[in-house]
Amino acid sequence: MSVQHRPAYQVESSIFFQAIPFGATVREVVKKLGEPVHTMASSATVEGHSALIFRRKVGAIGVTSCVHFYEGRFFLAQEVVRYPTVMQADFCIVSAVKDLARVCLESLGASSVVRGACGASVSIDRSVYLRIDYITGDRLVWQKLTGQRQKEAGKSLFKSMEFWGSQLIKQRSEVPLGE
């Protein structure tokens, strides 16, 4: 389901991933989340892009988090919970949106978007795994990444990034951002 067909909820709050603001450096993220289990260097994907993968717990639930950087700045985080129960999925979603102004869990469908201040958003997808994406609203980052995506589209290494972000780049470029 593309982003434009998902129910969207507008909130006045700013969106953060684990209290980390968009634009944070790699060092700031590692200081907050600890050492990653895997690092994806920028030379392995798109020029200027790198990612850190963390395994952590949300309550007692195992979560894989991938934090993406472009030109050394945080722009996208993705959390994946494989085969969660309904209660585990609800718990993770509540943890993701708890600091946002009154988003009712019951109103969030299988796929929803909560858009916050400055155009940043949290995208929730319960289709197979639970996937929660924290997406910057910085237009300049998305314009640069869209340009990089077009230049790199034929490279097989770039195609490996599909799961972790290129679909979001495409979706993000199709959706008008909040002013």
Side-chain angles (χ1 to χ4, degrees):
M1 175 181 279
S2 73
V3 172
Q4 68 249 32
H5 296 110
R6 295 182 187 179
Y9 304 91
Q10 187 71 40
V11 296
E12 298 299 320
S13 308
S14 293
I15 294 190
F16 298 98
F17 170 68
Q18 298 297 307
I20 301 169
F22 291 105
T25 65
V26 173
R27 181 174 287 171
E28 292 168 330
V29 170
V30 169
K31 184 176 179 180
K32 176 73 176 166
L33 298 179
E35 288 299 315
V37 295
H38 185 69
T39 302
M40 199 166 53
S42 61
S43 61
T45 56
V46 174
E47 184 179 327
H49 172 264
S50 62
L52 302 175
I53 298 174
F54 299 89
R55 288 207 176 88
R56 54 191 198 78
K57 297 280 187 180
V58 174
I61 304 161
V63 175
T64 301
S65 300
C66 187
V67 181
H68 294 265
F69 300 88
Y70 184 67
E71 297 178 346
R73 298 291 178 175
F74 165 53
F75 76 95
L76 169 68
Q78 298 172 301
E79 294 184 311
V80 176
V81 179
R82 293 178 183 351
Y83 305 110
T85 65
V86 172
M87 288 179 58
Q88 288 173 329
D90 288 349
F91 181 80
C92 289
I93 292 168
V94 167
S95 296
V97 298
K98 70 178 180 230
D99 295 329
L100 302 176
R102 300 194 183 175
V103 174
C104 178
L105 180 61
E106 290 78 28
S107 66
L108 296 174
S111 294
S112 301
V113 175
V114 179
R115 193 171 316 277
C118 301
S121 60
V122 175
S123 173
I124 300 164
D125 184 0
R126 297 186 197 208
S127 55
V128 176
Y129 300 136
L130 171 63
R131 184 167 139 183
I132 303 172
D133 301 320
Y134 300 78
I135 308 163
T136 185
D138 186 337
R139 291 174 188 255
L140 184 57
V141 169
W142 292 108
Q143 289 169 353
K144 288 179 179 180
L145 281 167
T146 300
Q148 282 288 344
R149 180 174 171 258
Q150 290 168 351
K151 286 193 322 191
E152 303 284 338
K155 295 184 180 177
S156 62
L157 287 174
F158 182 80
K159 291 178 182 178
S160 70
M161 190 180 140
E162 289 281 327
F163 177 75
W164 291 110
S166 66
Q167 287 301 97
L168 285 171
I169 294 168
K170 179 181 177 291
Q171 291 172 352
R172 190 62 180 189
S173 65
E174 295 171 352
V175 176
L177 300 176
E179 299 302 333

